Amino acid sequence: MKRIFNDDFINYKFLSGVKYSPDGKNACFVLHEAHMEENCYNSNLWIYKEGEDRYFQLTSNNKEKSFLWLDNETILFEGSRNPKDKEKKEAGEELSRFYRINIYGGEALEAFVIPYKITSFKHIKDSVYLFTATFNPNKKPLHTLHKEDKEKEVRLIKEEKDYEGIDEIPFWSNGEGYTNKNRNRLYMYDSSDEKIIAITDETVDVEDYQIDNNKDKVIITASNFLNKREVKNHLLIWSPSSNAVKRIVSDEAFQYGTGYFISEDTIICTGSDMKEYGLNQNSKFYLININTEEKSCITPKFDISTWNSVGSDCRYGASSTSQINGNLLYFITTEGDSSFLNTIDQEGDIQQISTAKGSIDGFDAYGDKILFIGLREQHLQELYRLDKGTEERITCFNEEPLKGKYVAKPELIRVTTAPGVEMDGWVIKPINFNENIKYPAILNIHGGPKTVYGEVFHHEMQYWASEGYVVFFCNPRGSDGKGNEFADIRGKYGTIDYEDIMKFTDAVLEKCSYIDKEKIGVTGGSYGGFMTNWIIGHTDRFKAAVSQRGISNWTTMFTTSDIGYYFESDQIAATPWKNHDKLWWHSPLKYADKVKTPTLFIHSEEDYRCWWVEAIQMFTALKYHNIESRLYMFRGENHELSRSGKPKHRSRRLKEITDWFNRYLK
């Protein structure tokens, strides 16, 4: 068998955004490919013709990431085919250019230009659309200014680019940069007269919006804040005919998911009061009458997360994970180590309609037909058809990249870590495995912490197996997939989760006698980076460590992270002014003087989730105590480096990690 190499991921294909045509006869999806030379990802639209059971590429400009069906033959997509657009954007002008294309051939024709940086768009009817776009009251929209005023404003933008005024929190957001006063605002646009109407207020930040079947009402999930964003949000109803926005259900503290019209006057949505398990509490399903504002929970005993949290480094692009189809809401859950597709009706009856293990990364349903993008076993993403519980693979994009390559199958190891608590974990064996040889090993810890590892393809772990490593990984307490109680580690970070990981490590070493106990490394990102930092301050059993985008000091995390001030008060159960000693006790930096393990720190300069001051502090502490360590920072990257970072940067990251382990474990 051939080895998997570091850069093999540039040959992988990533799928997203599958959507049926209005008549259900065709579907469109986006195909993404890494381009190493240009250090970017190329994205194009593809069509699947169900009746002919074939699929083909529709666009080739490499910049088409979002689209919608206008009719059964026409697709509207956002693109950038005008060479002057780049120059305008560099001058501070915001615009989104749209094109129409027929799926049966012909060139894409420009449809219209909207003078905003659009984040989403939907078609209401005829020439009328809804869209969300970034709005900031401190920035004048250039398209509303006359020529002289516009030129003056462009000069002012250039003069002010080195300054950033901040007067609210959060003031930055991972992947978005500085966001002070930015709001995702909802607008209505009529392409016939190019008229744009703002729907939501300047202080409202729209999270999602859905249109009813009659196209005369819209349910909006949004938050409204000044100075400090709260965790709670609310629901709004808007009617295109009256242009009136009305808030429904006045909850003091509630976190709503997307709302859908399940009948003319009733919406169904997920929601959490966060009272028992805090921010990470699993949502329940609610029905809300938009006229009486009566809200009722239809799943009082439901304790499953309503999203896909199965981790992989082989995805790119956005996909739908819930939708209304007929009188049912279709949605994804994470259960155990896999994600599944389900339906729920107005009575709260939930039916699981997919049964295969793995990950459903996005889907679309039309009548009895379902298409989904999935990771199955150790295969990369493909498009699948789901018919009455039976899955059929449609595409073969990723057969060639892994053909003849060694792909290790994860071997399940279950460990009882506490009375009544069972944890799942896996081991993958190295290439050309020989049970008489002693192998070095790498413990890999997932982020979150409320996510899961499963038996899906991970490029980095398969690469390490091809490099001759045993790789083992697990879902300790704090992980998703096993209900609220299992996932709840508020105020316990570094205690029961650490104990679970160490017990799993013990079980792996006991079962896998082919592992060299003197040559084990540990790594992880985000929460996994925190846990790596914690581990090296509490045990010397690992001979090398790589901490990625992790947390070292909860006090600085509180005041610098885009989620710090509300995440920590909930998850650590303390603030810098309330039980500060607890923040410090749970901080890996407190134990840095105990570290003996050579450690590499990987961090991104624009990671505003775990700002790179976290890595600087831990690195400095280790250097101060004369422990071999190195800090490797990536410019132009954020918290998503390992998953959607620029191709050259992803390759360099994996090289630095592997070189570090090779240095100390081989």
Side-chain angles (χ1 to χ4, degrees):
M1 299 291 285
K2 299 176 183 177
R3 292 170 52 198
I4 287 179
F5 292 98
N6 179 330
D7 290 351
D8 278 357
F9 74 90
I10 66 172
N11 300 314
Y12 303 162
K13 309 297 189 295
F14 311 109
L15 286 69
S16 71
V18 62
K19 187 69 178 176
Y20 272 113
S21 59
D23 61 4
K25 294 181 179 179
N26 303 299
C28 183
F29 59 94
V30 187
L31 189 74
H32 312 270
E33 301 175 79
H35 194 293
M36 190 66 83
E37 290 184 9
E38 296 183 8
N39 205 21
C40 67
Y41 296 87
N42 292 338
S43 303
N44 291 293
L45 304 183
W46 283 65
I47 297 295
Y48 168 58
K49 296 190 68 64
E50 191 167 64
E52 302 174 18
D53 200 25
R54 68 184 182 96
Y55 52 95
F56 58 88
Q57 187 170 340
L58 182 65
T59 66
S60 58
N61 199 50
N62 298 328
K63 302 297 181 184
E64 287 81 48
K65 295 182 181 180
S66 56
F67 69 91
L68 57 80
W69 289 90
L70 288 178
D71 55 45
N72 295 324
E73 299 182 0
T74 311
I75 286 175
L76 181 74
F77 65 90
E78 184 184 357
S80 180
R81 302 185 174 202
N82 189 320
K84 293 184 179 180
D85 286 355
K86 184 178 180 180
E87 180 181 336
K88 290 180 179 179
K89 291 178 180 179
E90 289 177 349
E93 191 168 345
E94 295 181 342
L95 61 90
S96 299
R97 196 176 297 274
F98 288 84
Y99 298 84
R100 291 188 181 93
I101 190 169
N102 191 286
I103 65 172
Y104 293 105
E107 292 293 326
L109 302 176
E110 185 173 315
F112 47 79
V113 179
I114 297 178
Y116 288 90
K117 182 182 178 182
I118 287 180
T119 53
S120 70
F121 62 100
K122 297 181 181 182
H123 187 214
I124 296 185
K125 59 182 178 180
D126 302 325
S127 60
V128 181
Y129 300 83
L130 292 181
F131 70 88
T132 54
T134 303
F135 169 83
N136 191 310
N138 296 330
K139 298 178 181 179
K140 295 180 181 178
L142 297 181
H143 69 278
T144 64
L145 305 178
H146 295 296
K147 183 179 179 180
E148 290 185 0
D149 292 334
K150 183 176 180 179
E151 291 174 351
K152 181 180 178 181
E153 187 64 23
V154 168
R155 288 195 300 269
L156 183 61
I157 291 173
K158 290 181 179 180
E159 292 172 1
E160 294 292 317
K161 68 181 180 64
D162 291 337
Y163 311 103
E164 195 73 45
I166 294 172
D167 55 11
E168 69 178 19
I169 56 173
F171 50 84
W172 56 18
S173 177
N174 184 67
E176 298 179 28
Y178 286 87
T179 57
N180 193 73
K181 286 292 188 290
N182 282 2
R183 300 293 186 270
N184 196 40
R185 198 173 188 185
L186 184 62
Y187 298 84
M188 182 171 65
Y189 171 71
D190 192 330
S191 62
S192 64
D193 58 10
E194 299 184 339
K195 187 176 181 180
I196 298 174
I197 298 174
I199 295 172
T200 52
D201 292 338
E202 296 183 358
T203 56
V204 172
D205 195 49
V206 174
E207 298 167 15
D208 205 346
Y209 59 103
Q210 298 292 330
I211 307 168
D212 76 331
N213 288 332
N214 297 324
K215 304 295 179 75
D216 61 6
K217 290 188 291 290
V218 178
I219 181 72
I220 305 166
T221 310
S223 58
N224 189 356
F225 65 98
L226 285 170
N227 300 317
K228 182 177 71 173
R229 176 190 285 273
E230 303 289 350
V231 176
K232 65 182 180 181
N233 61 7
H234 47 265
L235 297 174
L236 307 172
I237 291 288
W238 173 76
S239 171
S241 58
S242 64
N243 195 30
V245 178
K246 175 188 176 184
R247 178 174 172 176
I248 60 171
V249 190
S250 300
D251 298 292
E252 289 186 3
F254 208 84
Q255 182 66 43
Y256 288 100
T258 301
Y260 294 91
F261 285 93
I262 201 165
S263 66
E264 186 174 345
D265 58 1
T266 304
I267 62 169
I268 185 171
C269 66
T270 56
S272 168
D273 60 13
M274 302 171 283
K275 290 181 179 179
E276 191 171 359
Y277 293 100
L279 290 177
N280 285 341
Q281 180 172 302
N282 288 329
S283 294
K284 300 184 185 301
F285 286 91
Y286 294 83
L287 290 183
I288 300 175
N289 185 296
I290 63 173
N291 298 318
T292 65
E293 300 189 21
E294 180 183 355
K295 181 175 74 173
S296 60
C297 178
I298 57 174
T299 58
K301 297 182 180 180
F302 187 71
D303 185 18
I304 300 172
S305 62
T306 53
W307 61 77
N308 176 22
S309 61
V310 181
S312 176
D313 56 0
C314 292
R315 299 186 180 104
Y316 192 83
S319 294
S320 174
T321 57
S322 61
Q323 74 165 94
I324 284 288
N325 181 34
N327 60 354
L328 298 174
L329 174 65
Y330 286 62
F331 65 99
I332 292 175
T333 55
T334 298
E335 303 178 48
D337 60 359
S338 299
S339 59
F340 301 95
L341 188 58
N342 309 263
T343 63
I344 184 171
D345 62 17
Q346 293 192 55
E347 282 68 49
D349 181 33
I350 296 175
Q351 299 293 326
Q352 188 182 97
I353 58 175
S354 71
T355 57
K357 294 186 67 175
S359 173
I360 293 181
D361 296 341
F363 74 94
D364 193 41
Y366 182 92
D368 295 331
K369 301 188 298 184
I370 297 170
L371 294 175
F372 73 87
I373 296 162
L375 289 165
R376 289 297 186 242
E377 296 180 337
Q378 290 300 298
H379 300 292
L380 291 159
Q381 280 186 330
E382 299 289 358
L383 185 65
Y384 292 82
R385 180 189 295 110
L386 180 63
D387 184 10
K388 298 178 181 178
T390 301
E391 295 182 2
E392 179 185 1
R393 191 181 70 178
I394 294 171
T395 60
C396 300
F397 289 114
N398 284 304
E399 279 191 349
E400 195 62 32
L402 295 180
K403 190 175 182 179
K405 297 293 182 73
Y406 173 70
V407 180
K409 183 178 180 180
E411 299 177 8
L412 177 65
I413 295 180
R414 284 202 170 100
V415 180
T416 299
T417 60
V421 178
E422 191 175 64
M423 178 183 62
D424 298 331
W426 296 265
V427 174
I428 61 175
K429 293 175 180 176
I431 192 169
N432 301 321
F433 175 73
N434 183 334
E435 62 181 8
N436 296 317
I437 295 177
K438 292 287 188 179
Y439 292 94
I442 299 172
L443 166 63
N444 201 3
I445 305 170
H446 67 59
K450 200 181 177 186
T451 60
V452 295
Y453 277 141
E455 297 176 11
V456 299
F457 188 91
H458 273 257
H459 173 69
E460 66 177 28
M461 290 198 269
Q462 293 294 340
Y463 167 60
W464 290 331
S466 279
E467 286 288 297
Y469 287 96
V470 177
V471 184
F472 58 106
F473 47 99
C474 64
N475 295 327
R477 277 175 285 184
S479 302
D480 203 1
K482 292 193 174 185
N484 281 317
E485 188 174 348
F486 187 88
D488 185 24
I489 57 170
R490 291 172 301 160
K492 301 175 184 177
Y493 278 57
T495 60
I496 59 174
D497 47 351
Y498 170 69
E499 292 168 7
D500 283 1
I501 293 170
M502 291 302 99
K503 288 180 181 178
F504 175 69
T505 301
D506 291 338
V508 168
L509 295 180
E510 181 180 350
K511 182 174 182 179
C512 305
S513 58
Y514 48 82
I515 293 177
D516 188 337
K517 297 180 180 180
E518 300 303 315
K519 294 182 178 180
I520 305 175
V522 59
T523 188
S526 195
Y527 166 77
F530 157 79
M531 185 51 67
T532 300
N533 291 339
W534 183 268
I535 284 172
I536 60 176
H538 287 79
T539 179
D540 299 339
R541 70 188 305 174
F542 297 96
K543 302 307 176 185
V546 181
S547 171
Q548 306 170 60
R549 62 188 189 279
I551 297 164
S552 65
N553 186 345
W554 287 108
T555 303
T556 51
M557 175 73 176
F558 185 99
T559 52
T560 59
S561 170
D562 60 350
I563 64 171
Y565 61 93
Y566 59 82
F567 182 84
E568 279 189 37
S569 58
D570 177 80
Q571 291 293 295
I572 308 300
T575 75
W577 309 275
K578 183 180 180 181
N579 204 354
H580 174 268
D581 289 346
K582 184 171 178 60
L583 281 188
W584 183 237
W585 190 92
H586 288 281
S587 297
L589 190 62
K590 171 180 169 62
Y591 311 97
D593 60 335
K594 307 293 193 300
V595 176
K596 304 299 181 187
T597 309
T599 303
L600 170 67
F601 298 92
I602 298 281
H603 227 94
S604 298
E605 190 176 33
E606 296 173 15
D607 185 341
Y608 302 139
R609 185 64 34 83
C610 300
W611 192 33
W612 80 296
V613 69
E614 297 300 316
I616 292 172
Q617 292 177 91
M618 199 69 181
F619 166 73
T620 301
L622 266 59
K623 281 295 184 183
Y624 178 81
H625 290 98
N626 300 312
I627 302 302
E628 187 66 27
S629 56
R630 187 170 190 240
L631 172 58
Y632 209 86
M633 186 270 288
F634 288 78
R635 291 193 174 91
E637 294 293 351
N638 58 53
H639 201 65
E640 302 304 310
L641 169 63
S642 64
R643 297 177 284 254
S644 59
K646 298 179 181 68
K648 288 183 180 179
H649 297 173
R650 289 179 66 178
S651 175
R652 186 58 172 267
R653 165 194 166 270
L654 194 49
K655 178 183 184 301
E656 292 296 327
I657 295 171
T658 308
D659 285 351
W660 188 262
F661 283 137
N662 288 344
R663 177 179 174 184
Y664 291 99
L665 304 182
K666 286 188 174 181

